[in-house]
Amino acid sequence: MFSPREAVAIALDVASEGMDHGEMPIGAIVFDDERVLGRAYTQERALRRRIVHADLLALLQADEALGFTRAAGELTLAVSLEPCLMCMGAAITLGVTRVWFARESPDDGGAELVQSWAPPTELPFFAKPREVVGGILRDEARALFAEYARGTGLSRDAGLGARPQLMWSGAHFRGNLQRASAPKVMSKPARPGTSVSGERTLSYLVATPIVSLSSST
């Protein structure tokens, strides 16, 4: 349905919507070969809760849309920031086969651990994604985090502290596809990040160059 660049571009658009509401610019979509099943940005500030991550909310929407029916072809999660272990676990439980993300999150990202996970028996209904690719449109994601860090994202807030409904629509999506080149296949270095008021490694996401993480099995 979407290429990696197209899907992550849409996730970045969703992240920008979240920043309009005072959230960190983290957005996600879940889709199969026929339709978008979930679309959300993080709701940590609006709902004053810790586990309302963008990817988890999008996965929950997809779960509700699918029920116990099968996805049409590949089920894909695209997100502006590397999913944490919680969200990776939810993706595995839902049956996501591909995970595409923009910016690496070294402190709490789960991609490297999921790739090294080797259970004695990999069940057909609970298997790690066959493809995990990071670094797609990384510079665009970094620019959003930099805007948020400067305070311009918060200044666009349309009501910080409110409880807006989840942003989800199965309608047409727009994405700027004039983006950066495809990611290179390299290993991710371990570098410390810096938490800001309990939020995810903001200073790292804004300032530190990083190589991409890519795996396809």
Side-chain angles (χ1 to χ4, degrees), residues 86-184:
M86 172 186 70
C87 295
M88 279 291 194
I92 290 170
T93 302
L94 188 63
V96 167
T97 56
R98 300 182 300 193
V99 177
W100 300 333
F101 60 90
R103 189 73 171 143
E104 296 84 350
S105 185
D107 278 359
D108 60 358
E112 191 169 23
L113 185 57
V114 165
Q115 289 177 100
S116 64
W117 176 45
T121 303
E122 193 164 65
L123 303 172
F125 56 85
F126 195 81
K128 67 182 180 182
R130 69 169 184 80
E131 180 178 300
V132 178
V133 180
I136 303 165
L137 307 183
R138 182 192 298 113
D139 290 343
E140 287 79 358
R142 180 183 176 277
L144 281 180
F145 282 109
E147 181 180 352
Y148 179 88
R150 289 193 302 268
T152 47
L154 288 177
S155 69
R156 298 193 298 172
D157 178 24
L160 185 59
R163 298 174 70 87
Q165 293 183 346
L166 297 181
M167 302 291 291
W168 177 40
S169 169
H172 299 289
F173 299 108
R174 294 182 300 106
N176 178 9
L177 307 183
Q178 305 300 318
R179 305 290 185 166
S181 59
K184 298 177 181 179

Side-chain angles (χ1 to χ4, degrees), residues 8-166:
V8 173
I10 296 169
L12 289 169
D13 285 345
V14 178
S16 184
E17 292 175 17
M19 195 161 65
D20 286 340
H21 290 78
E23 301 287 356
M24 289 189 75
I26 307 172
I29 62 168
V30 178
F31 61 95
D32 61 13
D33 289 354
E34 294 181 352
R35 58 178 174 149
V36 173
L37 299 161
R39 177 184 188 276
Y41 54 75
T42 184
Q43 298 267 322
E44 293 174 357
R45 285 178 170 268
L47 301 181
R48 300 290 192 254
R49 287 161 51 193
R50 295 185 180 127
I51 63 172
V52 285
H53 292 184
D55 21 11
L56 181 62
L57 295 177
L59 289 162
L60 287 170
Q61 291 172 6
D63 181 45
E64 183 176 359
L66 287 170
F68 279 105
T69 63
R70 290 182 179 273
E74 298 244 39
L75 195 58
T76 304
L77 168 66
V79 61
S80 62
L81 185 66
E82 180 181 350
C84 68
L85 285 174
M86 172 186 70
C87 295
M88 279 291 194
I92 290 170
T93 302
L94 188 63
V96 167
T97 56
R98 300 182 300 193
V99 177
W100 300 333
F101 60 90
R103 189 73 171 143
E104 296 84 350
S105 185
D107 278 359
D108 60 358
E112 191 169 23
L113 185 57
V114 165
Q115 289 177 100
S116 64
W117 176 45
T121 303
E122 193 164 65
L123 303 172
F125 56 85
F126 195 81
K128 67 182 180 182
R130 69 169 184 80
E131 180 178 300
V132 178
V133 180
I136 303 165
L137 307 183
R138 182 192 298 113
D139 290 343
E140 287 79 358
R142 180 183 176 277
L144 281 180
F145 282 109
E147 181 180 352
Y148 179 88
R150 289 193 302 268
T152 47
L154 288 177
S155 69
R156 298 193 298 172
D157 178 24
L160 185 59
R163 298 174 70 87
Q165 293 183 346
L166 297 181

Side-chain angles (χ1 to χ4, degrees), residues 24 44-45 50 148 194-203:
M24 289 189 75
E44 293 174 357
R45 285 178 170 268
R50 295 185 180 127
Y148 179 88
T194 302
S195 297
V196 178
S197 302
E199 294 176 334
R200 304 174 82 180
T201 62
L202 183 57
S203 66

